[in-house]
Amino acid sequence: MTPIPYGRQDVTQDDIDAVVEILRSDFLTQGPAVPAFEQTLQAHCQASHAVAFSNATAALHIACRALEVGPGDLVWTSPITFVASANCALYCGAEVDFVDIDPRTWNMDPQALAAKLEQASRSGRLPKVVIPVHLCGQSCDMRAIGALAAQYGFKVIEDASHAIGGTYAGEPIGNCRYSDITVFSFHPVKIITTGEGGAALTRSDLLASRLRLLRSHGITREAGLMQEPPHGDWYYEQIDLGFNYRMTDMQAALGSSQAKRLEQVVAQRHRIAQRYDSLLADLPLQLPWQLPQTYSGMHLYVVLVGEEAGRDRKAVFDGLRADGILVNVHYLPVYRQPYYRQRVSCDPAQFPHAEHYYAHAISLPMYPGLSEAQQDFICERLAFYLA
Ligand SMILES: *Cc1c(COP(=O)(O)O)cnc(C)c1O
């Protein structure tokens, strides 16, 4: 039997045609396809601006720069995330710290955040930016986090790499009602793909213009931003130190084509999740729990192997892998990464829920092309290893 991956892109003939059309056109990059994709994202998410990037890591880096994160600043995020959610702060010379997760949603716990903020405010070490991560596609409790941002005066970047197509309190994730910037990833394992790719959304005209400036070398062609009157039509000025973090037109065309199926793809992911929920209901597992008023993008379906189960997580994981079911673990707490252990003095005992999650979590295969027969097989084998 061919192995079953944990995630896989869904590419149709229409997607292929859209990319080929760009290859035959005048512009492979910096043509009309990128603004068109940005327009699609902005309209879908009901934000004021969408800025496409070469990947979500670049978007997170520039989001931090746009919010003027620099040496001496503190950035807090969730320990249960991909390293990029924390690396973006280190790129800016800032320091990183973590906030423990809610044991039911596995997202940053607003109560733990409130307690840590209260302490930090007493010691004068408040964060400049907090980066909540919508793990598996489920929104964090953004109303609570937004209220704390207003109270303590920090900025918020939502790392919504898992979450495009999801909603919070009836509104699309990405509309930035409770944040300054929201970032999406379009890596092939995520919900829709551009190959490599990412985007940053915002309501702020100023932040949008900084995101665009820093995406492309810090170079502007807008006379209003220049120091000198333009010398002629050729003239541009570099007014900040930016990067080349642009998305190509090939990628953007793929993204626009994929985005047409966004709702459909997320609905299909939910059907798969509901089927897992019922097939796994009687096993010694903690299944995903959804906060009221959230509709997940459903990037990942994670289960925690219960303490009462016959075997531990590693035995279950190894058994499933040997059966060709390419389960995964998302994620090792970032403070346990060797690079972070040397730089961030974090006692794992400060994060009991992240530690518990990491010790028990397994990500089961979740992607639109997963068949019912494959899903039945996965659940049968899981039941076998838990018996
Ligand atoms: C995938 C991912 C990223 C990085 O996305 P890229 O597009 O691969 O750079 C950042 N944060 C989280 C939570 C992710 O899952």
Side-chain angles (χ1 to χ4, degrees), residues 184-232:
F184 294 127
S185 171
F186 308 119
H187 182 279
V189 296
K190 309 283 164 74
I191 292 163
I192 57 171
T193 190
T194 59
E196 296 281 356
L201 285 83
T202 183
R203 298 184 164 212
S204 153
D205 297 346
L206 179 68
L207 287 176
S209 107
R210 289 195 48 79
L211 290 165
R212 288 184 195 287
L213 185 74
L214 293 167
R215 170 179 66 176
S216 202
H217 307 283
I219 283 173
T220 185
R221 291 178 185 276
E222 279 178 53
L225 295 175
M226 292 181 185
Q227 313 238 317
E228 290 186 32
H231 301 176

Side-chain angles (χ1 to χ4, degrees), residues 55-58 60 81-82 84-85 133 159 161-162 185-187 190 196-198 299 331:
N55 53 66
T57 305
L60 286 165
T81 187
F82 184 57
S85 318
V133 180
D159 183 345
S161 292
H162 298 182
S185 171
F186 308 119
H187 182 279
K190 309 283 164 74
E196 296 281 356
H299 164 52
Y331 298 90

Side-chain angles (χ1 to χ4, degrees), residues 8-24:
R8 190 183 196 288
Q9 71 276 12
D10 173 55
V11 174
T12 64
Q13 188 60 47
D14 282 351
D15 295 340
I16 294 168
D17 293 344
V19 175
V20 169
E21 194 180 316
I22 298 293
L23 288 169
R24 297 190 198 285

Side-chain angles (χ1 to χ4, degrees), residues 48-51 53 59 62-69 129 155-157 176 179-182 200-215:
S48 311
H49 306 274
V51 183
F53 282 87
I62 296 307
C64 286
R65 280 286 305 272
L67 293 170
E68 295 175 335
V69 171
V129 170
K155 305 289 184 190
V156 178
I157 301 170
C176 301
S179 66
D180 297 278
I181 298 174
T182 300
L201 285 83
T202 183
R203 298 184 164 212
S204 153
D205 297 346
L206 179 68
L207 287 176
S209 107
R210 289 195 48 79
L211 290 165
R212 288 184 195 287
L213 185 74
L214 293 167
R215 170 179 66 176

Side-chain angles (χ1 to χ4, degrees), residues 95-303:
E95 280 175 55
V96 173
D97 201 352
F98 301 93
V99 180
D100 204 7
I101 59 169
D102 178 313
R104 298 165 306 168
T105 62
W106 312 321
N107 275 331
M108 180 184 283
D109 178 0
Q111 284 181 1
L113 177 61
K116 197 174 172 94
L117 285 164
E118 201 187 303
Q119 268 188 349
S121 134
R122 270 188 261 118
S123 57
R125 287 288 285 151
L126 282 168
K128 181 161 197 171
V129 170
V130 173
I131 307 182
V133 180
H134 304 325
L135 191 74
C136 305
Q138 173 174 209
S139 177
C140 295
D141 184 350
M142 289 309 300
R143 197 171 292 154
I145 293 170
L148 290 167
Q151 186 183 343
Y152 288 96
F154 58 83
K155 305 289 184 190
V156 178
I157 301 170
E158 295 175 65
D159 183 345
S161 292
H162 298 182
I164 194 166
T167 67
Y168 173 72
E171 296 184 345
I173 292 174
N175 82 344
C176 301
R177 182 172 298 284
Y178 302 101
S179 66
D180 297 278
I181 298 174
T182 300
V183 168
F184 294 127
S185 171
F186 308 119
H187 182 279
V189 296
K190 309 283 164 74
I191 292 163
I192 57 171
T193 190
T194 59
E196 296 281 356
L201 285 83
T202 183
R203 298 184 164 212
S204 153
D205 297 346
L206 179 68
L207 287 176
S209 107
R210 289 195 48 79
L211 290 165
R212 288 184 195 287
L213 185 74
L214 293 167
R215 170 179 66 176
S216 202
H217 307 283
I219 283 173
T220 185
R221 291 178 185 276
E222 279 178 53
L225 295 175
M226 292 181 185
Q227 313 238 317
E228 290 186 32
H231 301 176
D233 279 351
W234 67 85
Y235 190 71
Y236 59 78
E237 282 185 357
Q238 185 189 341
I239 58 170
D240 201 335
L241 184 61
F243 301 82
N244 180 351
Y245 279 170
R246 293 187 302 263
M247 178 179 276
T248 67
D249 279 47
M250 281 106 65
Q251 292 168 307
L254 178 56
S256 290
S257 181
Q258 292 249 316
K260 290 183 189 153
R261 301 197 302 283
L262 177 58
E263 278 174 25
Q264 218 176 299
V265 160
V266 174
Q268 172 64 3
R269 288 173 173 274
H270 275 265
R271 282 195 289 279
I272 293 169
Q274 278 159 14
R275 219 161 161 270
Y276 271 136
D277 286 346
S278 61
L279 290 168
L280 302 176
D282 297 329
L283 297 181
L285 294 170
Q286 180 184 335
L287 300 182
W289 182 83
Q290 307 297 322
L291 191 72
Q293 291 208 294
T294 60
Y295 175 72
S296 176
M298 206 55 84
H299 164 52
L300 295 174
Y301 190 92
V302 172
V303 298

